[in-house]
C-alpha cells in the first residue's frame, strides 16, 4: 500500500512539474507570474478564506492562465454543495497538493517530531460553479508604497542604492539596487527588491540555503527560488512588476526535466523564504501589510 501511495505521489509531482515545464518551453509567461491583475491577491479557498501556498500557488496560477479564469477563489465539490451551490456538469477539476501529519506508529516515542505525508485534492474555480450565494470574500487591501517600505525596513536587511546593477552580496550580507528613479515604474522596483530579499534569506544567519556558483544547478535553483518567492510576495502586496529572468529559462527546464521533485522543493523553499520575511522579527509590521 505504501509503495502505491508513494508512486501516486511521485506521479502527481511529475505531472505538475511537466505541465509547468511545458509552460516554459512554449515561450509564454512563466507559471510563477500571477495571471491576472495582482490586486486580486493569491489563490484562496472559498470556504476557509485561506490562501494556497507553495507549489499550489503555481498549480492554480497555471490553471487560471491556461483556462482563462479571472477569479482567485477555489473550492472542492463538497464545499460547493455545502455552500448551497454545485459544480457545473462536465467541469474539469484542478488537483492541488496537501500535507497532513502521519498517524504515529504504535512504538513511536511520545513527543517525537511528527512526520508528514502528502496527498491531493480536486478543486474547482468559482467560475466553474453555479448557485453559490454571495459569499463574503476578503480581498487584499490596497497596499501603499509607504506600507511596503515599512515592511521592508522591518526585515532588518541592509539595502543600499546606487549604481546600475541589482544584486545580493553574501559576503557583505547586503542588497545593492539602482536608485528608484532608474526603474520604469514602482512595480518593477519592488519586484527586483523582493527578488533580492529572497536571496538574502539564504544567509547562514537566516535560512542557511546553498546558493551555488554561477552556471551550476544550485545557482539556477537559487535564482528560481528568488523568482518564485518574489512572485508570491508581489501578489500578496498587490504589486505589478516583471519577474522573468529569461537567461535562466533553458537551465530551469533542463533541471526540472531531470528531476521533477526539484519543483516541489523549490516552491517550498520560496514559500519558506517568504514566510521568514514575515517572521516573528517583522510580525507587527507585516500583519498590517499582508
Amino acid at each position: 500500500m505504501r509503495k502505491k501511495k508513494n508512486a501516486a505521489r511521485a506521479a502527481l509531482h511529475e505531472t505538475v512539474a511537466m505541465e509547468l515545464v511545458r509552460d516554459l518551453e512554449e515561450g509564454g509567461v512563466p507559471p510563477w507570474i500571477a495571471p491576472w491583475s495582482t490586486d486580486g491577491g493569491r489563490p484562496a479557498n472559498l470556504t476557509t478564506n485561506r490562501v494556497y501556498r507553495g507549489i499550489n500557488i503555481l498549480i492554480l496560477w497555471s490553471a487560471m492562465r491556461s483556462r482563462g479564469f479571472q477569479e482567485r477563489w477555489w473550492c472542492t465539490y463538497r464545499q460547493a454543495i455545502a455552500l448551497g451551490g454545485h459544480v457545473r456538469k462536465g467541469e474539469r477539476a484542478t488537483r492541488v497538493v496537501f500535507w497532513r501529519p502521519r498517524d504515529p506508529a504504535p512504538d513511536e516515542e511520545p513527543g517525537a517530531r511528527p512526520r508528514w505525508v502528502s496527498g491531493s485534492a480536486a478543486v474547482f474555480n468559482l467560475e466553474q460553479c453555479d448557485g453559490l450565494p454571495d459569499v463574503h470574500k476578503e480581498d487584499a487591501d490596497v497596499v501603499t508604497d509607504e506600507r511596503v517600505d515599512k515592511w521592508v525596513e522591518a526585515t532588518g536587511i541592509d539595502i543600499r542604492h546606487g549604481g546600475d546593477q541589482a544584486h545580493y552580496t553574501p559576503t557583505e550580507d547586503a542588497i545593492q539596487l539602482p536608485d528608484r528613479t532608474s526603474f520604469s515604474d514602482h512595480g518593477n522596483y519592488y519586484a527586483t527588491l523582493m527578488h533580492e530579499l529572497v536571496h538574502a534569506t539564504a544567509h547562514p544567519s537566516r535560512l542557511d540555503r546553498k546558493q551555488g556558483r554561477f552556471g551550476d544547478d544550485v545557482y539556477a535553483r537559487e535564482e528560481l527560488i528568488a523568482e518564485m518567492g518574489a512572485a508570491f510576495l508581489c501578489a500578496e502586496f498587490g504589486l505589478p512588476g516583471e519577474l522573468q529572468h529569461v537567461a535562466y529559462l533553458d537551465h530551469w527546464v533542463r533541471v526540472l526535466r531531470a528531476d521533477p521533485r526539484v519543483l516541489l522543493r523549490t516552491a517550498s523553499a520560496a514559500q519558506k523564504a517568504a514566510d521568514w520575511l514575515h517572521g516573528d522579527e517583522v510580525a507587527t509590521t507585516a500583519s498590517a501589510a499582508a
Side-chain angles (χ1 to χ4, degrees), residues 1 15 19-20 48 53 61 94 101 115 133 139-140 143 149 155 164 173 186 212 214 219 230 238 241 246 259 277:
M1 181 64 72
T15 297
E19 286 179 354
L20 300 185
T48 66
R53 295 164 51 83
W61 276 352
T94 301
R115 296 182 180 181
D139 284 326
V143 181
D149 288 340
T155 67
D164 59 359
D173 189 24
H186 82 125
F214 182 80
Y219 186 93
V246 179
D259 184 2
L277 292 166

Side-chain angles (χ1 to χ4, degrees), residues 20 31-36 42-43 51-64 96 228 231-233 235 267 271:
L20 300 185
W32 51 88
I33 307 301
W36 70 95
R42 294 165 293 171
V51 296
Y52 290 95
R53 295 164 51 83
I55 191 69
N56 288 329
I57 297 177
L58 306 186
I59 293 171
L60 297 177
W61 276 352
S62 180
M64 291 176 67
V96 294
M228 289 184 185
F232 296 167
L233 290 167
Q271 184 66 68

Side-chain angles (χ1 to χ4, degrees), residues 84-202:
H86 65 275
V87 176
R88 288 194 298 272
K89 185 177 180 179
E91 292 288 351
R92 178 164 54 91
T94 301
R95 300 204 73 84
V96 294
V97 182
F98 67 85
W99 285 261
R100 61 175 176 79
R102 178 183 61 81
D103 294 335
D107 57 348
E108 195 168 294
E109 295 183 6
R113 187 175 182 178
R115 296 182 180 181
W116 295 76
V117 295
S118 65
S120 67
V123 296
F124 297 87
N125 189 271
L126 184 60
E127 295 178 29
Q128 297 177 282
C129 302
D130 287 327
L132 292 177
D134 185 15
V135 181
H136 173 65
K137 302 184 292 293
E138 296 180 358
D139 284 326
D141 293 334
V142 175
V143 181
T144 63
D145 289 0
E146 181 181 5
R147 289 175 67 183
V148 179
D149 288 340
K150 287 182 178 179
W151 175 83
V152 171
E153 182 180 1
T155 67
I157 295 173
D158 185 6
I159 301 171
R160 306 166 185 177
H161 291 83
D164 59 359
Q165 294 185 339
H167 56 82
Y168 167 69
T169 305
T171 54
E172 298 181 13
D173 189 24
I175 291 171
Q176 184 70 44
L177 293 173
D179 292 328
R180 290 193 187 212
T181 55
S182 300
F183 291 85
S184 59
D185 56 52
H186 82 125
N188 285 327
Y189 168 77
Y190 284 115
T192 303
L193 174 57
M194 297 298 181
H195 180 102
E196 302 305 335
L197 282 171
V198 174
H199 276 317
T201 65

Side-chain angles (χ1 to χ4, degrees), residues 13 16-18 20-21 31-32 55 58 224 228 256 259-268:
H13 295 169
V16 170
M18 290 305 100
L20 300 185
V21 164
W32 51 88
I55 191 69
L58 306 186
L224 187 50
M228 289 184 185
L256 293 175
D259 184 2
R261 294 171 299 177
V262 169
L263 181 67
L264 184 68
R265 294 195 294 265
T266 300
S268 177

